[in-house]
Amino acid sequence: MSTDYPLPTPMDLHKELRRIIDAKLLNPVFQPIVALANPRILGYEALIRGPENSPLHYPDALFATARQSRLSAVLEFACREVSCVRFAELCLPGKLFLNMSPISFTDSQYRDGVTREILQRVGLSAERIVFELTESQPLDETELLRAASIHFQRQGFAIALDDLGAGYSGLRVWSELGPDYVKIDRHFIAGIDRDPVKREFVRAMLDIAHRMGNKAIAEGIETAEELSTLIAMGVEYAQGYFIARPQLQPPAELPAHVLPLCRTRPSLHQDSFVRKVGEILVDAQTVAPRVPAAEVVKLFRSDVRLACVPIVDGDRPLGMVSRAELLNVFAHRFAHELYAAKPIRDFISPLSVIVEIDTELKALGQIMTEDPQQNLSVDFIVCEQGRYRGVGKVRNLLRCITEEKLRVARHSNPLTQLPGNVPLYEWIDHLLIEQQPFVAAYCDINHFKPFNDYFGYSLGDEVILAMSRLLVSAIDQRQDFIGHVGGDDFVVVFRSSDWLMRCEQLMAAFTQVYCQLVPADQQVYWSQDRQGRRQIYGPLTLAIGCVVPEVGSCKTHHQIAQLLAEAKHAAKRQEVSQVFVSRRRRPLILPG
């Protein structure tokens, strides 16, 4: 026997909403947004739940009732307040992403400046807040979205465009708003590991985002396969249930199960070629924290080339004082009387960046440009084990990163984005010069050309991309190297001791992935060989030819290439998946 309870009327829901808002019964939960390239938590999206025993527990009912009751702005302010308060109480790192409905701008209860009041009360800066604008009615709300974006950006907040691709006018809104972040809608993320069409859409979105200077966040990730695919495609930021569900007390560090997947991102250069902060370190005049602000003002005015000064207490760096920020304060009326005697430590820029001397320039560049509010005229402080060493000029950092990107672009495979021949040969030559032992493995797909001719280039590219992902997963990113030397040919330089087991696991994984890409009833087909003769072919197989060179005898990568060519041909002779380990360890001595 069941008991039917009467459904609440609109008036009942209105009263319940008023009770929830007035009694502050809203519960914020937080879902992490993670950075994948330099693994860490970027920030958290705040989501709202009503009381558990309330008909307005779920957000859909809660916000629908607010719209019907014309209380959207009141509810939104209440949500914003409880989210900021709880975020500050939990001392969570990074940024706080707050959902913002532009339609609340038209609500009669809307009041400007309320967010600033909340942040001042809880001790959060505007630079840590990102407003997510959602186009719930995209064809009608473009002007509201633009107004909301301009309003918040002028106050120092960052803007994110939510659900990119979900609305008909999404691309138009994206181009007109110029948001700091764009969140790729879950529709394009679900099953992306199995859907080449979705991958093409996401690649296009990533390309546009990079060209416009936006940060792209893939949301709604629910499986390890989806995340691995996105990482291989170069997605930098991610969010979803697989990473972490929204929680009252979310993790303050990157979840342990996510970190190993982040390490499978293709590494374009090895340690020998990675440039560190120490390379662009310069000396700079420092100022003690108790020096009066007026003295630093004089220092800036006496040297127009001085953009900032580091504040250092003994050998402990505290932060940077920006010329523009300090002189702007002293430009106001009565500023000298109010601030001249104050210690300069009170004027340290909140956006000061302090890094260790062995930080990679690429990682630092991401940190410096990740925050849309970051003042790139303020240089960064360099320390060694916490002790002040000097400063780094942002212009030098950007120049080095640009040079590195140009180098990578010139020598990377356009399909897989893996290093090509030049970086591979450089790395082998480096190991030979240093006389560091390694194993080189030539990976080649048997009968790939007939497969490509029969099934077409699209599926052929999918096989090559799948192969690149398997290789990235198979190696130890800390010491192994992958080179894509053309077509379906890859070379792996192993320094990990378990290289043979990794090769065998790679073969097994290739067979499994191939069966997922090609249905069983299509795995036997007729195609032409290289001489134009038609013959029958079966499933693709993988040949891996390995050499263990004698580093004292081999002098250049040309000699390693000779050994690899022999090992590759030996591995392909039987036309089945196999690992062949050559006995030859030194090159043939050619007659002079």
PDB file of all heavy atoms in Angstrom, residues 14-31:
ATOM      1  N   HIS A  14       7.003  28.907  -3.628  1.00  0.00           N
ATOM      2  CA  HIS A  14       7.468  30.280  -3.406  1.00  0.00           C
ATOM      3  C   HIS A  14       7.812  30.491  -1.929  1.00  0.00           C
ATOM      4  O   HIS A  14       8.878  31.050  -1.598  1.00  0.00           O
ATOM      5  CB  HIS A  14       6.394  31.277  -3.851  1.00  0.00           C
ATOM      6  CG  HIS A  14       6.725  32.696  -3.510  1.00  0.00           C
ATOM      7  ND1 HIS A  14       7.593  33.466  -4.255  1.00  0.00           N
ATOM      8  CD2 HIS A  14       6.317  33.480  -2.471  1.00  0.00           C
ATOM      9  CE1 HIS A  14       7.715  34.661  -3.703  1.00  0.00           C
ATOM     10  NE2 HIS A  14       6.930  34.704  -2.630  1.00  0.00           N
ATOM     11  N   LYS A  15       6.941  30.026  -1.047  1.00  0.00           N
ATOM     12  CA  LYS A  15       7.195  30.167   0.391  1.00  0.00           C
ATOM     13  C   LYS A  15       8.419  29.362   0.819  1.00  0.00           C
ATOM     14  O   LYS A  15       9.223  29.810   1.637  1.00  0.00           O
ATOM     15  CB  LYS A  15       5.958  29.717   1.181  1.00  0.00           C
ATOM     16  CG  LYS A  15       4.767  30.653   1.051  1.00  0.00           C
ATOM     17  CD  LYS A  15       3.571  30.124   1.856  1.00  0.00           C
ATOM     18  CE  LYS A  15       2.379  31.065   1.732  1.00  0.00           C
ATOM     19  NZ  LYS A  15       1.208  30.548   2.481  1.00  0.00           N
ATOM     20  N   GLU A  16       8.553  28.156   0.254  1.00  0.00           N
ATOM     21  CA  GLU A  16       9.707  27.320   0.579  1.00  0.00           C
ATOM     22  C   GLU A  16      11.006  27.992   0.126  1.00  0.00           C
ATOM     23  O   GLU A  16      12.017  27.969   0.841  1.00  0.00           O
ATOM     24  CB  GLU A  16       9.552  25.945  -0.081  1.00  0.00           C
ATOM     25  CG  GLU A  16      10.742  25.005   0.067  1.00  0.00           C
ATOM     26  CD  GLU A  16      11.004  24.575   1.496  1.00  0.00           C
ATOM     27  OE1 GLU A  16      10.222  24.949   2.407  1.00  0.00           O
ATOM     28  OE2 GLU A  16      12.002  23.857   1.719  1.00  0.00           O
ATOM     29  N   LEU A  17      10.978  28.603  -1.065  1.00  0.00           N
ATOM     30  CA  LEU A  17      12.167  29.302  -1.560  1.00  0.00           C
ATOM     31  C   LEU A  17      12.525  30.457  -0.642  1.00  0.00           C
ATOM     32  O   LEU A  17      13.703  30.652  -0.310  1.00  0.00           O
ATOM     33  CB  LEU A  17      11.918  29.808  -2.987  1.00  0.00           C
ATOM     34  CG  LEU A  17      13.055  30.618  -3.619  1.00  0.00           C
ATOM     35  CD1 LEU A  17      14.315  29.770  -3.748  1.00  0.00           C
ATOM     36  CD2 LEU A  17      12.631  31.157  -4.985  1.00  0.00           C
ATOM     37  N   ARG A  18      11.527  31.213  -0.215  1.00  0.00           N
ATOM     38  CA  ARG A  18      11.769  32.336   0.698  1.00  0.00           C
ATOM     39  C   ARG A  18      12.370  31.838   2.016  1.00  0.00           C
ATOM     40  O   ARG A  18      13.301  32.435   2.560  1.00  0.00           O
ATOM     41  CB  ARG A  18      10.460  33.094   0.966  1.00  0.00           C
ATOM     42  CG  ARG A  18      10.219  34.270   0.045  1.00  0.00           C
ATOM     43  CD  ARG A  18      11.296  35.308   0.269  1.00  0.00           C
ATOM     44  NE  ARG A  18      11.125  36.483  -0.563  1.00  0.00           N
ATOM     45  CZ  ARG A  18      12.035  37.418  -0.687  1.00  0.00           C
ATOM     46  NH1 ARG A  18      13.196  37.307  -0.063  1.00  0.00           N
ATOM     47  NH2 ARG A  18      11.831  38.462  -1.456  1.00  0.00           N
ATOM     48  N   ARG A  19      11.859  30.716   2.503  1.00  0.00           N
ATOM     49  CA  ARG A  19      12.374  30.153   3.757  1.00  0.00           C
ATOM     50  C   ARG A  19      13.838  29.747   3.603  1.00  0.00           C
ATOM     51  O   ARG A  19      14.671  30.032   4.475  1.00  0.00           O
ATOM     52  CB  ARG A  19      11.527  28.937   4.149  1.00  0.00           C
ATOM     53  CG  ARG A  19      11.940  28.283   5.482  1.00  0.00           C
ATOM     54  CD  ARG A  19      11.101  27.044   5.762  1.00  0.00           C
ATOM     55  NE  ARG A  19      11.521  25.925   4.964  1.00  0.00           N
ATOM     56  CZ  ARG A  19      12.500  25.066   5.306  1.00  0.00           C
ATOM     57  NH1 ARG A  19      13.171  25.238   6.436  1.00  0.00           N
ATOM     58  NH2 ARG A  19      12.810  24.050   4.518  1.00  0.00           N
ATOM     59  N   ILE A  20      14.153  29.101   2.487  1.00  0.00           N
ATOM     60  CA  ILE A  20      15.520  28.636   2.248  1.00  0.00           C
ATOM     61  C   ILE A  20      16.483  29.820   2.168  1.00  0.00           C
ATOM     62  O   ILE A  20      17.570  29.804   2.759  1.00  0.00           O
ATOM     63  CB  ILE A  20      15.579  27.795   0.959  1.00  0.00           C
ATOM     64  CG1 ILE A  20      14.852  26.462   1.167  1.00  0.00           C
ATOM     65  CG2 ILE A  20      17.023  27.548   0.521  1.00  0.00           C
ATOM     66  CD1 ILE A  20      14.687  25.651  -0.105  1.00  0.00           C
ATOM     67  N   ILE A  21      16.082  30.869   1.447  1.00  0.00           N
ATOM     68  CA  ILE A  21      16.962  32.040   1.280  1.00  0.00           C
ATOM     69  C   ILE A  21      17.121  32.782   2.599  1.00  0.00           C
ATOM     70  O   ILE A  21      18.247  33.107   3.016  1.00  0.00           O
ATOM     71  CB  ILE A  21      16.404  32.975   0.182  1.00  0.00           C
ATOM     72  CG1 ILE A  21      16.469  32.288  -1.185  1.00  0.00           C
ATOM     73  CG2 ILE A  21      17.186  34.286   0.150  1.00  0.00           C
ATOM     74  CD1 ILE A  21      15.807  33.071  -2.302  1.00  0.00           C
ATOM     75  N   ASP A  22      16.014  33.060   3.278  1.00  0.00           N
ATOM     76  CA  ASP A  22      16.072  33.851   4.521  1.00  0.00           C
ATOM     77  C   ASP A  22      16.843  33.125   5.621  1.00  0.00           C
ATOM     78  O   ASP A  22      17.567  33.751   6.400  1.00  0.00           O
ATOM     79  CB  ASP A  22      14.650  34.175   5.002  1.00  0.00           C
ATOM     80  CG  ASP A  22      13.913  35.122   4.052  1.00  0.00           C
ATOM     81  OD1 ASP A  22      14.601  35.767   3.237  1.00  0.00           O
ATOM     82  OD2 ASP A  22      12.673  35.192   4.113  1.00  0.00           O
ATOM     83  N   ALA A  23      16.699  31.803   5.684  1.00  0.00           N
ATOM     84  CA  ALA A  23      17.377  31.028   6.731  1.00  0.00           C
ATOM     85  C   ALA A  23      18.764  30.550   6.297  1.00  0.00           C
ATOM     86  O   ALA A  23      19.431  29.837   7.058  1.00  0.00           O
ATOM     87  CB  ALA A  23      16.517  29.829   7.131  1.00  0.00           C
ATOM     88  N   LYS A  24      19.172  30.930   5.079  1.00  0.00           N
ATOM     89  CA  LYS A  24      20.483  30.542   4.536  1.00  0.00           C
ATOM     90  C   LYS A  24      20.678  29.022   4.603  1.00  0.00           C
ATOM     91  O   LYS A  24      21.673  28.518   5.136  1.00  0.00           O
ATOM     92  CB  LYS A  24      21.611  31.263   5.262  1.00  0.00           C
ATOM     93  CG  LYS A  24      21.568  32.781   5.087  1.00  0.00           C
ATOM     94  CD  LYS A  24      22.756  33.466   5.732  1.00  0.00           C
ATOM     95  CE  LYS A  24      22.706  34.974   5.466  1.00  0.00           C
ATOM     96  NZ  LYS A  24      23.851  35.680   6.074  1.00  0.00           N
ATOM     97  N   LEU A  25      19.713  28.310   4.027  1.00  0.00           N
ATOM     98  CA  LEU A  25      19.740  26.845   4.048  1.00  0.00           C
ATOM     99  C   LEU A  25      20.336  26.262   2.773  1.00  0.00           C
ATOM    100  O   LEU A  25      20.217  25.058   2.528  1.00  0.00           O
ATOM    101  CB  LEU A  25      18.319  26.310   4.252  1.00  0.00           C
ATOM    102  CG  LEU A  25      17.616  26.740   5.558  1.00  0.00           C
ATOM    103  CD1 LEU A  25      16.201  26.184   5.611  1.00  0.00           C
ATOM    104  CD2 LEU A  25      18.426  26.274   6.762  1.00  0.00           C
ATOM    105  N   LEU A  26      20.950  27.095   1.942  1.00  0.00           N
ATOM    106  CA  LEU A  26      21.569  26.625   0.707  1.00  0.00           C
ATOM    107  C   LEU A  26      22.900  25.947   1.023  1.00  0.00           C
ATOM    108  O   LEU A  26      23.670  26.428   1.860  1.00  0.00           O
ATOM    109  CB  LEU A  26      21.806  27.807  -0.237  1.00  0.00           C
ATOM    110  CG  LEU A  26      20.537  28.507  -0.726  1.00  0.00           C
ATOM    111  CD1 LEU A  26      20.871  29.867  -1.312  1.00  0.00           C
ATOM    112  CD2 LEU A  26      19.816  27.643  -1.761  1.00  0.00           C
ATOM    113  N   ASN A  27      23.161  24.832   0.360  1.00  0.00           N
ATOM    114  CA  ASN A  27      24.387  24.067   0.599  1.00  0.00           C
ATOM    115  C   ASN A  27      25.263  24.069  -0.650  1.00  0.00           C
ATOM    116  O   ASN A  27      24.892  23.471  -1.669  1.00  0.00           O
ATOM    117  CB  ASN A  27      24.048  22.619   0.973  1.00  0.00           C
ATOM    118  CG  ASN A  27      23.209  22.542   2.225  1.00  0.00           C
ATOM    119  OD1 ASN A  27      23.544  23.149   3.242  1.00  0.00           O
ATOM    120  ND2 ASN A  27      22.100  21.803   2.163  1.00  0.00           N
ATOM    121  N   PRO A  28      26.428  24.723  -0.600  1.00  0.00           N
ATOM    122  CA  PRO A  28      27.323  24.680  -1.759  1.00  0.00           C
ATOM    123  C   PRO A  28      28.151  23.400  -1.774  1.00  0.00           C
ATOM    124  O   PRO A  28      28.633  22.937  -0.743  1.00  0.00           O
ATOM    125  CB  PRO A  28      28.216  25.906  -1.551  1.00  0.00           C
ATOM    126  CG  PRO A  28      28.252  26.090  -0.066  1.00  0.00           C
ATOM    127  CD  PRO A  28      26.925  25.619   0.454  1.00  0.00           C
ATOM    128  N   VAL A  29      28.290  22.808  -2.957  1.00  0.00           N
ATOM    129  CA  VAL A  29      29.206  21.695  -3.155  1.00  0.00           C
ATOM    130  C   VAL A  29      30.202  22.140  -4.229  1.00  0.00           C
ATOM    131  O   VAL A  29      29.893  22.975  -5.068  1.00  0.00           O
ATOM    132  CB  VAL A  29      28.476  20.403  -3.580  1.00  0.00           C
ATOM    133  CG1 VAL A  29      27.637  19.873  -2.436  1.00  0.00           C
ATOM    134  CG2 VAL A  29      27.604  20.642  -4.810  1.00  0.00           C
ATOM    135  N   PHE A  30      31.404  21.572  -4.189  1.00  0.00           N
ATOM    136  CA  PHE A  30      32.475  22.054  -5.056  1.00  0.00           C
ATOM    137  C   PHE A  30      33.052  20.905  -5.875  1.00  0.00           C
ATOM    138  O   PHE A  30      33.361  19.842  -5.339  1.00  0.00           O
ATOM    139  CB  PHE A  30      33.588  22.692  -4.219  1.00  0.00           C
ATOM    140  CG  PHE A  30      33.123  23.846  -3.381  1.00  0.00           C
ATOM    141  CD1 PHE A  30      32.729  23.650  -2.056  1.00  0.00           C
ATOM    142  CD2 PHE A  30      33.057  25.127  -3.904  1.00  0.00           C
ATOM    143  CE1 PHE A  30      32.288  24.701  -1.277  1.00  0.00           C
ATOM    144  CE2 PHE A  30      32.629  26.195  -3.134  1.00  0.00           C
ATOM    145  CZ  PHE A  30      32.242  25.985  -1.813  1.00  0.00           C
ATOM    146  N   GLN A  31      33.188  21.153  -7.191  1.00  0.00           N
ATOM    147  CA  GLN A  31      33.778  20.152  -8.083  1.00  0.00           C
ATOM    148  C   GLN A  31      35.093  20.693  -8.637  1.00  0.00           C
ATOM    149  O   GLN A  31      35.138  21.779  -9.210  1.00  0.00           O
ATOM    150  CB  GLN A  31      32.838  19.829  -9.237  1.00  0.00           C
ATOM    151  CG  GLN A  31      33.346  18.687 -10.114  1.00  0.00           C
ATOM    152  CD  GLN A  31      32.339  18.267 -11.152  1.00  0.00           C
ATOM    153  OE1 GLN A  31      31.595  19.085 -11.688  1.00  0.00           O
ATOM    154  NE2 GLN A  31      32.304  16.970 -11.468  1.00  0.00           N
TER     155      GLN A  31
END
